[in-house]
Amino acid sequence: MSELHSEDDLLALKRFLVAFFAQRVDAGIGALWDSGKWNEQTFTDLSTAHSRTAYK
């Protein structure tokens, strides 16, 4: 981290990390799809799910 001397360096690192974790998520979802654990209905259900914690 001591090598980050500018905002551009920090931005490049952030973009790299975002791409890295997006690739891992994509691979994980692909594995779930290939195994049959997830299907089109799963994505439909997730897109309409309300899973926020209710605050009282």
Side-chain angles (χ1 to χ4, degrees), residues 3-32:
E3 298 297 320
L4 299 176
H5 298 291
S6 70
E7 288 295 319
D8 289 339
D9 290 344
L10 182 59
L11 182 60
L13 178 61
K14 286 179 180 179
R15 287 182 175 158
F16 173 81
L17 290 172
V18 166
F20 172 78
F21 285 110
Q23 182 182 15
R24 292 191 63 181
V25 167
D26 190 45
I29 290 174
L32 287 170

Side-chain angles (χ1 to χ4, degrees), residues 13-52:
L13 178 61
K14 286 179 180 179
R15 287 182 175 158
F16 173 81
L17 290 172
V18 166
F20 172 78
F21 285 110
Q23 182 182 15
R24 292 191 63 181
V25 167
D26 190 45
I29 290 174
L32 287 170
W33 185 275
D34 292 341
S35 71
K37 292 180 182 179
W38 279 26
N39 56 29
E40 195 68 39
Q41 185 62 43
T42 307
F43 288 108
T44 302
D45 293 344
L46 287 173
S47 70
T48 59
H50 297 280
S51 55
R52 288 184 42 177

